[in-house]
Amino acid sequence: MSTKQIKWTMFIITAVGNFIAMLDSSTVNLALYPMSVDLHVTMSQIQWVMILYMLILTVLLPFFGKLGDIFPKNKLYTIGFGLFALGAFLSVISSNFKMLLLFRSLEAVGASVMLSNAQAIIASIFKKERRGKALGLNGCIVAIGGMSGPALGGVLLNYFGWRSVFLPSCFVGIIGAYLAFRLLPRTVKTDLKNFKFDYWGFIYFSISLFALLLAISEGYSWGFNSVRVISLGLITLVFGALFYFRDHKINYPLINFSMFKIKPFTFGNLAVMTSYMAMFTNSILLPFFLQELLKYSPLITGLLILPYSVTLSVVAPISGRLSGKYGSRYLTLAGPLVYCIALLMFTLYDKNVAAWQIVFASGVLGIGNGLFQSPSNNAIMTSVKKEELGIASGILALSRNMGNILGVAVTIMLFETFRTLFVNHGLVYESAFLTAYRVTMCFGIFFGLLCFTFAYIAYKE
C-alpha cells in the first residue's frame, strides 16, 4: 500500500472505534422501553443505562488521553476495542438490571479509551490541510454513529429482542482490536519518566461532574428543594472550584484553561455542547413517542428515524467542503435554525400524525445537524495552534459528551416532571404523555437557539 492508503486505513480503524462507541449508545436509546418492561424498572431508573455509560466515558476522557502520550497507540486502542467488546458481550447475557449497569460501565471504559485517543491519532498521521479534512470527517462519523443507532436497533429489537442490540459491538470490537494492534502507530512522544498526571484534579473533576448529573437526573423524584439535591449542588460547586483553582496552579493541568481565552474555541465548544443537548431531546423522547403512544413496532420506529442519518451523512461532507472554501460562519448559523424548525414540527404532532410527517421532520433534523457539525468541528480545531491540536480535540470530545449526558438527564427530568404534573391535574395518561412530550421538545428548541447564539458569538466577523 502507498503511504496515503496506509494513512486512510489508519483513519478508518480509528473512525470505526468512534462510530461503534457512539452507535452503541444510541442503539440502546431505542431499547430502553423494552428493557424497562423486561427488567421491571421505571423510566427514571432505566435512563441510567444511558447516563452511566456516557458519564463514565466522559469522566475518563482526560485520563486515557494522557495515557495515550506514554503508551503506544496500537496497544491502547486494542485494549479499548477489547474492553468494549467484552462489556457488550456481558451485557447480552446479563440477568438483571444491576448486572446490566455494571457491564455497560465496562463498555464505557473501552469507549473512552477509543474516543480520547482518536483525535490525537488522526492529528499525528495527517498534516496541514488533510488534517483538518480528516478531523472534520471524523466529527461527522461520530455524529452519524450517535444518531443512526435507532435504525439498526429497530431491526434487531423487532426480530431478536433488546439483548441483540449489543451484538454489533461484540463483532466490531473483536475485529477492530486485531486491526488496531497490527496497523496503528506504535511510537510514543512522551517518556514514562517525564509523564505527569493530575490525579487530584481528575478526582475533583469526576466527583463534581457525577454530583451535577445525579442532581439533574433525580431532582424531579427527590424534589429540587430536598436535602439530597441541595447537598449534591454544594458538592458540585465545591469540587468544581477545587478542580478549577488546582488546574490554574500546576504546570501539568488536566484541562488547559488558557485555551478558553480563544473566543472561537470557547463559544464553539459551547455551541457543540448545546447542539447535542438539542439533538438528544428528540433522540431520547421520539422512540418512546412512537412505541408507547403511536404503538409502532421497534422495526418501524427505527425506519422512521433512519432519514435523520441519511440526510446527515449526505449533507455533512458537503458542508465540510463548503466550510473549507467559504468559512464556517454561515453554515454554523444555518444548522441550528434548520433543526429548530424540525423540532418545532415534532411539537405539533399528535396521535394522528402520518408516518411521512415523522420521516420528513427526521430528515430535516439531519440536514440541520449536517450543516452544523462538520464546519463547527473544523472551525474549533483551526482556532488553536498546531501544537495544541491534541488538547483541543480532547476538550471537543468532552464538550460533545457533556452535551450527550446533559441532554439525556435534562430531557428525562423534564419529561417525567411534566407528565406527572399533568396526570395529577386530571389529564388521562395519553394526553399527559403527549403534552409533556411537546413541552419538553420546546426545551430542545431552546437549546437549539442557545447553540445559534454561541455560534454567532464564536464566529462573528
Side-chain angles (χ1 to χ4, degrees), residues 146-374:
M147 291 296 184
S148 60
L152 175 61
V155 176
L156 293 173
L157 280 169
N158 193 69
Y159 294 107
F160 306 107
W162 66 263
R163 297 179 186 275
S164 65
V165 300
F166 300 105
L167 291 176
S169 300
C170 299
F171 297 120
V172 175
I174 294 171
I175 296 171
Y178 172 76
L179 295 176
F181 185 78
R182 292 292 303 273
L183 297 174
L184 288 183
R186 303 184 181 192
T187 58
V188 294
K189 296 181 179 180
T190 304
D191 184 19
L192 181 59
K193 295 180 180 178
N194 298 323
F195 175 74
K196 293 182 179 180
F197 182 76
D198 182 16
Y199 295 100
W200 281 109
F202 172 69
I203 293 172
Y204 297 154
F205 173 78
S206 302
I207 294 175
S208 178
L209 181 61
F210 184 83
L212 172 65
L213 293 171
L214 184 61
I216 292 174
S217 60
E218 298 297 331
Y220 73 91
S221 58
W222 292 346
F224 287 102
N225 295 325
S226 66
V227 174
R228 281 185 286 185
V229 171
I230 294 174
S231 299
L232 287 171
L234 292 174
I235 291 172
T236 300
L237 292 174
V238 170
F239 282 93
L242 288 173
F243 170 69
Y244 177 80
F245 289 118
R246 177 175 175 79
D247 268 32
H248 270 72
K249 290 181 179 180
I250 61 176
N251 56 10
Y252 50 97
L254 189 67
I255 295 177
N256 187 1
F257 284 99
S258 64
M259 296 181 65
F260 290 98
K261 296 178 181 179
I262 305 171
K263 188 170 70 171
F265 181 81
T266 301
F267 287 96
N269 274 285
L270 287 173
V272 168
M273 185 180 72
T274 48
S275 75
Y276 272 85
M277 291 179 70
M279 291 299 102
F280 266 72
T281 303
N282 176 73
S283 178
I284 290 294
L285 291 185
L286 185 58
F288 280 91
F289 174 76
L290 295 177
Q291 292 179 88
E292 188 167 347
L293 202 64
L294 302 187
K295 307 302 179 184
Y296 284 122
S297 68
L299 175 60
I300 300 301
T301 299
L303 292 175
L304 290 176
I305 299 173
L306 181 61
Y308 173 90
S309 301
V310 174
T311 54
L312 173 59
S313 61
V314 171
V315 173
I318 298 173
S319 65
R321 288 197 296 269
L322 290 175
S323 67
K325 188 174 183 179
Y326 300 108
S328 300
R329 175 174 168 77
Y330 295 107
L331 290 168
T332 55
L333 294 178
L337 292 179
V338 172
Y339 61 65
C340 279
I341 293 173
L343 292 174
L344 181 61
M345 293 180 192
F346 283 113
T347 64
L348 302 176
Y349 293 161
D350 55 23
K351 284 192 65 176
N352 299 316
V353 62
W356 72 265
Q357 292 175 295
I358 300 290
V359 169
F360 179 73
S362 295
V364 174
L365 196 67
I367 292 173
N369 207 22
L371 288 172
F372 174 79
Q373 290 299 336
S374 184

Side-chain angles (χ1 to χ4, degrees), residues 12 41 56 99 120 217 265 320 340 382 413 428 436:
I12 291 172
V41 294
I56 293 175
M99 289 181 65
S217 60
F265 181 81
C340 279
T382 55
M413 177 197 70
V428 296

Side-chain angles (χ1 to χ4, degrees), residues 420-429 431-432:
T420 302
L421 179 66
F422 295 138
V423 168
N424 292 339
H425 278 70
L427 289 180
V428 296
Y429 178 80
S431 297

Side-chain angles (χ1 to χ4, degrees), residues 46-67:
I46 202 66
Q47 69 168 320
W48 281 97
V49 174
M50 278 291 302
I51 289 181
L52 191 62
Y53 177 88
M54 296 305 300
L55 176 61
I56 293 175
L57 189 158
T58 303
V59 167
L60 293 176
L61 280 172
F63 177 69
F64 287 124
K66 288 285 186 179
L67 287 186

